[in-house]
Amino acid sequence: AEASEGYCSLFLRVADGMKVSRVLFVGSEALGPDIARKACEGYTNAAQVAAPSMAIRGTAADLITIGVRDLMLQGWSANLDLQRTLLIGDAPAAEINFRLLREMREARRQRERERAAEQRRREEEVAQEQRKQEEAEQARRRKEAEESAAVVAAMAAPVTADEAMMQAAVKVANDRAQEQARPKKETEAERAEREKKDKALAWLREYQQKEAQKKAEEEQQRKEREQAEREVRREMEKRKKAEAKAKRNEERQRQWAQELEAEAGKAGEERKKAQEAAEKQRQQAEEEATKKEIEKRVQQMAEARRQQEEEERQAEEAARALEEEMRRREEAQQRREEERRLQAEA
């Protein structure tokens, strides 16, 4: 059958004599589930298909996916579980069979979902264990790199010509000091000269040690600065790449949104009309509910007023009965007093 302009038709052909239930889909539009009893059955005007724009023509977005899912044979020979099922009772066989099939299918799907969840959990555990191992390996490598950097920083700096001359002078001074340190009798002047030379030598050694520490600290600071600069450059490059990617995605989404807005104009008007109709129905329903609530409240108020009037009437009757009782008692009292008076006069 030919479809209307802007729509497509979708049919499924099966072998003769085969009865199946299936769901056909075009993109995100699902049709079914239905039972196909003929060799070729389907839908005319199954889904609306819009012509692609020039921007997405020939790209990965210029595709429409069609297919079939939830395909299942129907009938007595369709399922081995059904063949092994014993049917008892006089209910229609087809109704019982399909109910049993649904129950068994749901149980099977539940088991499959549980197995899939268990598999996903195991994969997540394995992935988490791998991440922990990778983090431990990275920490070990960082520690080794820091130890190597510390060893390199502690190493003596290269010797320059001035330092070589100074070391030679120190060596000569050490030799002289050792020669003079040999056991011999020295005068006061020689001892003062030796002490002066020892102080100068100690000062020279202390100066060399301070200079070496200063150079090591400067070298360490330079390496740390270079490392920080490299990390900042890498971070800036990553940020630039992320911004460029986000910009490209935003441009693509904007183009797609423009195309979808252009294609969904008619659908938007229909949705607007449907929304207006739904809003009108909602207002009518609210008015009906308000009227019912008002009537209910009026009835409740009338019932309360009637109960109050009944209570007042009962109270008035009780008061009248009490007044009548008091009047009878007063009359009886008067009669008794009159009788006592007559008895006294007699």
Side-chain angles (χ1 to χ4, degrees), residues 84-135:
R84 294 193 296 267
T85 302
L86 177 63
L87 301 180
I88 301 175
D90 55 356
E95 182 180 354
I96 297 175
N97 294 346
F98 284 115
R99 186 183 301 117
L100 292 174
L101 279 175
R102 283 194 297 270
E103 293 175 358
M104 290 184 290
R105 184 169 62 250
E106 290 298 329
R108 185 172 63 255
R109 289 179 178 175
Q110 181 65 23
R111 290 193 297 270
E112 292 175 355
R113 286 194 293 268
E114 292 175 355
R115 285 196 297 269
E118 181 68 19
Q119 182 67 22
R120 285 195 299 272
R121 186 183 62 78
R122 292 178 181 175
E123 291 176 356
E124 290 176 356
E125 291 178 354
V126 172
Q128 187 176 4
E129 185 66 25
Q130 290 179 354
R131 284 196 299 272
K132 289 182 180 178
Q133 293 178 359
E134 291 176 357
E135 291 175 357

Side-chain angles (χ1 to χ4, degrees), residues 269-285:
E269 293 178 358
E270 293 178 355
R271 282 197 301 271
K272 185 177 181 180
K273 292 180 180 179
Q275 291 176 356
E276 291 177 354
E279 182 66 19
K280 187 176 180 181
Q281 292 179 357
R282 186 183 63 79
Q283 292 178 357
Q284 292 177 355

Side-chain angles (χ1 to χ4, degrees), residues 4-8 26-27 46-54 56-57 61-64 256 258-267:
S4 303
E5 184 176 358
Y7 291 82
C8 71
V26 180
Q48 187 176 6
V49 179
S53 62
M54 295 300 297
I56 63 174
R57 186 170 296 173
D62 188 14
L63 293 175
I64 298 176
W256 290 346
Q258 290 177 356
E259 293 170 2
L260 290 174
E261 287 177 0
E263 293 174 356
K266 295 181 179 179

Side-chain angles (χ1 to χ4, degrees), residues 53-322:
S53 62
M54 295 300 297
I56 63 174
R57 186 170 296 173
T59 64
D62 188 14
L63 293 175
I64 298 176
T65 305
I66 64 173
V68 59
R69 61 171 176 258
D70 296 341
L71 185 64
M72 184 179 297
L73 291 173
Q74 301 293 334
W76 284 98
S77 60
N79 197 316
L80 295 177
D81 295 333
L82 180 60
Q83 295 178 9
R84 294 193 296 267
T85 302
L86 177 63
L87 301 180
I88 301 175
D90 55 356
E95 182 180 354
I96 297 175
N97 294 346
F98 284 115
R99 186 183 301 117
L100 292 174
L101 279 175
R102 283 194 297 270
E103 293 175 358
M104 290 184 290
R105 184 169 62 250
E106 290 298 329
R108 185 172 63 255
R109 289 179 178 175
Q110 181 65 23
R111 290 193 297 270
E112 292 175 355
R113 286 194 293 268
E114 292 175 355
R115 285 196 297 269
E118 181 68 19
Q119 182 67 22
R120 285 195 299 272
R121 186 183 62 78
R122 292 178 181 175
E123 291 176 356
E124 290 176 356
E125 291 178 354
V126 172
Q128 187 176 4
E129 185 66 25
Q130 290 179 354
R131 284 196 299 272
K132 289 182 180 178
Q133 293 178 359
E134 291 176 357
E135 291 175 357
E137 182 66 19
Q138 291 177 0
R140 184 183 64 79
R141 291 179 180 176
R142 284 196 299 270
K143 185 177 180 181
E144 291 179 354
E146 292 174 357
E147 292 177 354
S148 301
V151 171
V152 172
M155 293 175 65
V159 180
T160 62
D162 295 337
E163 292 175 351
M165 292 176 65
M166 188 173 289
Q167 289 178 2
V170 171
K171 184 176 181 182
V172 172
N174 288 334
D175 293 340
R176 289 177 182 176
Q178 290 177 3
E179 184 177 355
Q180 292 176 2
R182 291 194 183 103
K184 68 176 182 178
K185 190 174 181 179
E186 59 182 1
T187 62
E188 292 293 333
E190 290 176 348
R191 189 176 64 214
E193 185 68 20
R194 178 177 58 79
E195 291 176 355
K196 184 178 179 181
K197 290 180 181 179
D198 290 341
K199 290 180 180 179
L201 182 61
W203 175 85
L204 182 60
R205 289 176 178 174
E206 185 179 358
Y207 173 76
Q208 289 179 345
Q209 186 176 5
K210 289 182 179 178
E211 288 295 322
Q213 292 179 354
K214 184 178 179 181
K215 289 182 179 180
E217 291 177 357
E218 291 177 353
E219 183 67 20
Q220 182 67 20
Q221 291 176 0
R222 183 183 64 79
K223 291 181 179 179
E224 291 177 355
R225 186 171 57 256
E226 291 177 354
Q227 179 69 20
E229 290 177 355
R230 286 194 297 269
E231 292 179 355
V232 170
R233 289 195 197 96
R234 285 197 297 268
E235 187 66 25
M236 292 180 66
E237 290 177 357
K238 289 181 181 179
R239 191 177 301 169
K240 288 180 180 179
K241 290 180 181 179
E243 290 177 355
K245 185 177 180 181
K247 188 175 181 180
R248 289 195 300 270
N249 291 336
E250 184 179 355
E251 184 65 21
R252 257 195 317 268
Q253 290 178 358
R254 186 178 61 79
Q255 292 178 358
W256 290 346
Q258 290 177 356
E259 293 170 2
L260 290 174
E261 287 177 0
E263 293 174 356
K266 295 181 179 179
E269 293 178 358
E270 293 178 355
R271 282 197 301 271
K272 185 177 181 180
K273 292 180 180 179
Q275 291 176 356
E276 291 177 354
E279 182 66 19
K280 187 176 180 181
Q281 292 179 357
R282 186 183 63 79
Q283 292 178 357
Q284 292 177 355
E286 289 180 355
E287 291 176 358
E288 292 292 333
T290 304
K291 290 180 180 179
K292 291 180 179 179
E293 184 66 21
I294 292 172
E295 292 176 357
K296 183 178 179 181
R297 293 293 299 274
V298 169
Q299 292 177 359
Q300 291 177 355
M301 292 174 66
E303 182 66 21
R305 189 168 56 254
R306 188 185 61 79
Q307 291 179 359
Q308 185 178 2
E309 292 175 354
E310 181 67 20
E311 290 175 356
E312 291 176 355
R313 186 183 60 78
Q314 291 177 0
E316 291 177 356
E317 291 179 355
R320 286 196 298 269
L322 181 60

